[in-house]
C-alpha cells in the first residue's frame, strides 16, 4: 500500500460515507471512487480490495471514536463521561441522516460473509467496553460489578444506535444517554453500592 496521501484520505471518507448510506455489500468500488473523485484503478493502488478499504475505514474511524472515548473517560465519573460522549455523537450527526454505530452496522453485515473484517469491528467494540469498565471503576464500582455493568452498557449503547439507524431518528441518542445514566444509578441502588 502507498503512504497515506490526500487521495488515501479521500478514499477513506468516501467509502465511509457510502458504507453508512448503503451498507458495505450494496456499495460498489465505482461509487466509492466516483465520490472520492478518482479512477477505480487509482483506488487499487492504495487498497488490494474493497475488503482492505473497509478495514482501513474501520480502523480510521475506530481511532477517532476511541480517542474521543478515551479523552472523555479521563477523570470523569460515569454521568460526565456519558454526557461528553453523547455530546460528541450528537455533534457528528449534525441534523444529517443518522447512520448509527459503524461498528454495529458494518459488523453485523459482514459477520458471516467476511469474518476477518467482522473481527476488526469486534475489536473496536471490546475496546469501548473496556473504556466503559474503566470509567465505572473510577466511579466507585467494585471490579466484578464494573465488568458486568460495562457489558450491559455496551448492549444498551449499541441497541439504541442500531434502533436509531433503522428509524433514522437522532432522538435515540438522547434516549441512550438518559438510559445509560439511569441504569448506572439503578444498578448501584439495587446492589447497595
Amino acid at each position: 500500500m502507498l503512504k497515506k496521501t490526500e487521495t488515501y484520505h479521500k478514499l477513506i471518507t468516501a467509502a465511509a460515507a457510502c458504507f453508512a448510506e448503503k451498507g458495505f455489500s450494496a456499495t460498489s468500488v465505482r461509487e466509492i471512487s466516483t465520490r472520492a473523485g478518482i479512477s477505480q484503478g487509482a483506488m487499487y493502488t492504495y487498497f488490494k480490495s474493497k475488503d482492505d478499504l473497509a478495514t482501513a475505514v474501520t480502523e480510521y474511524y475506530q481511532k477517532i471514536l476511541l480517542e474521543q472515548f478515551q479523552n472523555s473517560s479521563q477523570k470523569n465519573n460515569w454521568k460526565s463521561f456519558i454526557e461528553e460522549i453523547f455530546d460528541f455523537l450528537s455533534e457528528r450527526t449534525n441534523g444529517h441522516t443518522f447512520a448509527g454505530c459503524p461498528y454495529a452496522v458494518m459488523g453485523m453485515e459482514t459477520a458471516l460473509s467476511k469474518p476477518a473484517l467482522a473481527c476488526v469491528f469486534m475489536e473496536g467494540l471490546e475496546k469501548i467496553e473496556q473504556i466503559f469498565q474503566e470509567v465505572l471503576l473510577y466511579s466507585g464500582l467494585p471490579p466484578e460489578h464494573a465488568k458486568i455493568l460495562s457489558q450491559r452498557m455496551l448492549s444498551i449503547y449499541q441497541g439504541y444506535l442500531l434502533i436509531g439507524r433503522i428509524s433514522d431518528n437522532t432522538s435515540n441518542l438522547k434516549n441512550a444517554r438518559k438510559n445509560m445514566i439511569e441504569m448506572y444509578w439503578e444498578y448501584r441502588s439495587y446492589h447497595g453500592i
Side-chain angles (χ1 to χ4, degrees), residues 151-167:
Q151 293 169 345
R152 291 179 186 174
M153 291 298 188
L154 181 63
S155 297
I156 292 169
Y157 172 78
Q158 287 300 319
Y160 271 106
L161 294 182
L162 180 61
I163 292 167
R165 163 101 179 177
I166 293 168
S167 66

Side-chain angles (χ1 to χ4, degrees), residues 145 148-149 152 183-191 193:
H145 289 285
I148 292 167
L149 192 54
R152 291 179 186 174
M183 169 67 91
Y184 168 78
W185 290 113
E186 288 169 9
Y187 185 92
R188 286 190 78 126
S189 176
Y190 180 80
H191 290 282
I193 301 170

Side-chain angles (χ1 to χ4, degrees), residues 108-121:
M108 284 188 318
E109 183 181 356
T110 61
L112 298 176
S113 62
K114 311 260 182 223
L117 185 54
C119 282
V120 177
F121 291 104

